[in-house]
Amino acid sequence: MNLLTVSNLTKRYRRGGKTIAAVDDISFHIEPGETLALAGPSGSGKSTIARLVLRLIEPDAGHIEFEGNDFLALSGAALRQRRARLQMVFQDPLAAFNPRSTVARLLDDPLRIHGIAARAERPRRIAALLERVGLAADLAPRAIHEISGGQRQRVAIARAIATKPSLIVLDEAVSALDVSVRGQILELLLDLQRQERIAYLFISHDLGVVRAIAHRVVLLEAGEIAECGDARTVIDAPQSAIGKALVAAAPRLNRTRP
Amino acid sequence: MSPLRRFLRKPEAVAGAILLAALVAMALSAPMLFPGDPQAIAGPALLPPFQDWSLPLGTDRLGRDVLAELFYGARTSLAVGLAAAAAALAIGSVVGTLAGFAGGLVDEVLMRITDAFQTVPGFLLALAFVSVVGPSLGIVVIAIALGTWTGPARVARAEVLSIRERDYVAGARVIGMHPLAIAFREVLPNALPPVLAMSSVIVAAAILTEAALSFLGLGDPNRATWGGMIAEGRAVLRTAPFLSIVPGIALVLTVLGVYLAGEGIVETTAVRRGLS
Ligand SMILES: Nc1ncnc2c1ncn2[C@@H]1O[C@H](COP(=O)(O)OP(=O)(O)OP(=O)(O)O)[C@@H](O)[C@H]1O
Ligand SMILES: [Mg+2]
């Protein structure tokens, strides 16, 4: 059974009198433990899909089924509770955290909200989470602006896995990191997927990264699906015009190809 | 340069801080220096200042010690000024945060209420409120706060409107945090700096409003107030002008001190924010 099934999802925005469809009748699915990449040029609707799937914005039409339930039918406390299973990692790890928070507080929030651990046990759980993402436990009392960008993205991943989700949406989660750190974070994500069978909706404009990490890919253009299929097949031999253009524009990809 | 060093380099801010420190010292030392009731008769009526060294500033029409009244008046001014400003900032921040964060109908209703309060002049509102409910310290505080919370509410709302679009608010929703917890734990603390920057003006205005209310006989009758002293002295303004002049000067210096010190703090911390 599919973990996530998105069907006929549509989101329109009104801009200067006329309506544009940021996401136009899009359908896709993700299986448990699978990585589905969303790729496409800027403004093609990738982030809008992420926000729709996370119920941060509401669609104009379409269905989202998550873990066998109608995800769009949930509201209030039921929705908040279900959110434990569907987490997100943002692009800019500094903007994604309350500037006043400490590492410990950021990791304490999900444990407290979802009643995962009693207060007395939480410091231990926080230390374990930090260790799980390859950080030292003594980072916990630090303010969020006192750690490096790579460490921050690890904290973001720790926060996302705190509630044992089955799906994590990563919107350009490694794009802001420099290349060596990016490799380490991707390694961590793959490792988590292997051990916890977490599925990823992986949004990236970097086809090199997509080819390395994703099982399947959906290429978007102007809110519509231009092409989809096995990640390597699509990226090695794109059929659509936008696919060819994206591959041609990916320098790292060209270097690694024979 | 540390904010403190920068503060100390502004002569007007330092002057304000000194005035404020003197006021606080007066307020705190009043019960020790003048253990009796400041409203009790202490000597002959209308004793001029600097005549009797046990009553350095003389006495009023009823023979009350002017210096003791001045010290206790500082207590009232400071207490009412700070409490009313704190109440106004608290109400304003909460209303502004709810309006800005909830949006839609809640925002509409709360902002119409804010408009309604803002159209009535604050002093008139305080006057009407105290006349109806009756003068006591708590009522005076509430009355002043009723006329002042709208400014902080608008500033807080504007700030919240920009903060609620930030990623970390989305992050808090994704983690399953309750909307009220997001509004008050995640958004409000980050919306506070521009609201708090208004406090010096609000405290100064609250002190003046309290003085004006007690001048009109609407202050707490059981407490010495500067406004009440000025009103008292008005009857003998020609023969004993010092009775009005002394509390008047105290009032002016206090408002000046609060304003200068407050602005100094805001400016030095704002510069620091701008640089970082
Ligand atoms: N809140 C909004 N109001 C109006 N238009 C919007 C809004 N959010 C997104 N859009 C529009 O929807 C389209 C898709 O935007 P989206 O952010 O999903 O693109 P994206 O694929 O994530 O791009 P990028 O790679 O630059 O992040 C764009 O044309 C954008 O201008
Ligand atoms: Mg985007």
Side-chain angles (χ1 to χ4, degrees), chain B residues 33-81:
Chain B
L33 293 178
F34 308 97
D37 178 2
Q39 315 241 52
I41 290 165
L46 290 175
L47 182 72
F50 315 123
Q51 301 283 312
D52 178 346
W53 287 112
S54 67
L55 299 165
L57 286 183
T59 59
D60 68 2
R61 275 196 306 160
L62 298 174
R64 296 182 290 207
D65 183 348
V66 171
L67 190 64
E69 279 197 283
L70 199 67
F71 270 60
Y72 278 91
R75 258 172 115 71
T76 314
S77 278
L78 205 63
V80 172

Side-chain angles (χ1 to χ4, degrees), chain A residues 44-55:
Chain A
S44 56
K46 305 183 293 292
S47 296
T48 307
I49 293 176
R51 298 173 75 81
L52 286 167
V53 165
L54 289 158
R55 288 289 305 273

Side-chain angles (χ1 to χ4, degrees), chain B residues 135-261:
Chain B
S136 77
L137 205 63
I139 295 301
V140 170
V141 167
I142 296 172
I144 297 173
L146 276 182
T148 13
W149 64 271
T150 52
R154 280 185 192 287
V155 173
R157 176 176 175 272
E159 196 68 10
V160 167
L161 280 180
S162 90
I163 292 176
R164 73 169 187 181
E165 302 302 329
R166 308 244 170 107
D167 274 355
Y168 69 83
V169 174
R173 288 176 64 194
V174 167
I175 217 83
M177 201 179 283
H178 192 280
L180 284 177
I182 300 178
F184 290 107
R185 278 191 58 209
E186 307 286 314
V187 177
L188 178 60
N190 292 303
L192 276 184
V195 179
L196 291 180
M198 305 172 77
S199 25
S200 58
V201 178
I202 289 181
V203 173
I207 288 175
L208 278 177
T209 309
E210 188 279 330
L213 284 174
S214 20
F215 179 80
L216 294 177
L218 290 170
D220 189 330
N222 302 317
R223 274 167 204 274
T225 61
W226 292 344
M229 290 170 74
I230 298 173
E232 256 299 307
R234 209 167 49 128
V236 287
L237 196 57
R238 208 95 44 91
T239 51
F242 66 91
L243 285 179
S244 298
I245 291 174
V246 167
I249 290 175
L251 190 61
V252 169
L253 290 180
T254 297
V255 169
L256 205 64
V258 167
Y259 181 76
L260 291 179

Side-chain angles (χ1 to χ4, degrees), chain B residues 82-101:
Chain B
L82 290 180
L89 290 170
I91 300 172
S93 311
V94 169
V95 171
T97 301
L98 284 177
F101 191 72

Side-chain angles (χ1 to χ4, degrees), chain A residues 42-43 45-48 91 171-172 203:
Chain A
S42 185
K46 305 183 293 292
S47 296
T48 307
Q91 169 172 9
D171 189 352
E172 308 274 13
I203 296 175

Side-chain angles (χ1 to χ4, degrees), chain A residues 55-56 80 83 87-88 90 95-100 105 109-110 112-114 159, chain B residues 165-168 170-179 185-187 189-190 193:
Chain A
R55 288 289 305 273
L56 289 170
R80 288 200 296 277
R83 285 186 183 284
Q87 285 299 305
M88 169 159 204
F90 291 86
F97 295 138
N98 185 338
R100 289 164 182 271
R105 211 198 100 179
D109 282 340
R112 175 175 47 80
I113 291 166
H114 295 285
R159 181 160 142 122
Chain B
E165 302 302 329
R166 308 244 170 107
D167 274 355
Y168 69 83
R173 288 176 64 194
V174 167
I175 217 83
M177 201 179 283
H178 192 280
R185 278 191 58 209
E186 307 286 314
V187 177
N190 292 303

